[in-house]
Amino acid sequence: MHYKNVLVGTLKYASTNHEVEIMQIQIHPDHQNKGYGRSIIQQVLNDAESKSVSLTVLKDNPALQLYLRLGFKIVGEDMYEYHMQIKH
């Protein structure tokens, strides 16, 4: 992902007829806490229209709070990660 020709992070996702899975989102540490992650996820949610959107997040990742604020719900977990989803 670029902003004003500067690489700020990475987004990797897969889309099917019913779901969008965010497989990877990383914001470079120099660009964290500036709203880029929120903006990117909001764009994915907008583009998903009626599809559900899912992701996993490490349990100790501070981004968990962002995902919760954006409306993601924890729908499962394993030893290391929460499995999260928004259904439209």
Side-chain angles (χ1 to χ4, degrees), residues 6-22:
V6 175
L7 181 64
V8 297
T10 300
L11 173 66
K12 183 178 176 182
Y13 68 95
S15 182
T16 67
N17 290 337
H18 305 287
E19 180 182 38
V20 176
E21 178 187 6
I22 298 174

Side-chain angles (χ1 to χ4, degrees), residues 25 27 35-43 65-66 69-70:
I25 182 167
I27 305 298
Y36 296 121
R38 172 184 293 275
S39 295
I40 291 160
I41 293 170
Q42 286 176 325
Q43 185 64 53
Q65 295 307 312
L66 169 62
R69 284 193 307 272
L70 289 171

Side-chain angles (χ1 to χ4, degrees), residues 2-60:
H2 288 83
Y3 177 75
K4 294 186 178 181
N5 294 323
V6 175
L7 181 64
V8 297
T10 300
L11 173 66
K12 183 178 176 182
Y13 68 95
S15 182
T16 67
N17 290 337
H18 305 287
E19 180 182 38
V20 176
E21 178 187 6
I22 298 174
M23 297 179 291
Q24 179 181 19
I25 182 167
Q26 295 177 323
I27 305 298
H28 188 280
D30 291 346
H31 301 287
Q32 292 177 356
N33 300 311
K34 296 181 181 179
Y36 296 121
R38 172 184 293 275
S39 295
I40 291 160
I41 293 170
Q42 286 176 325
Q43 185 64 53
V44 171
L45 293 172
N46 291 342
D47 291 349
E49 298 174 345
S50 62
K51 298 177 185 180
S52 64
V53 178
S54 64
L55 58 81
T56 60
V57 60
L58 292 171
K59 290 182 174 181
D60 63 351

Side-chain angles (χ1 to χ4, degrees), residues 54-83:
S54 64
L55 58 81
T56 60
V57 60
L58 292 171
K59 290 182 174 181
D60 63 351
N61 187 330
L64 171 63
Q65 295 307 312
L66 169 62
Y67 303 146
L68 292 169
R69 284 193 307 272
L70 289 171
F72 282 87
K73 304 291 184 208
I74 296 173
V75 295
E77 66 181 279
D78 59 33
M79 187 173 185
Y80 302 106
E81 297 177 316
Y82 291 117
H83 304 259

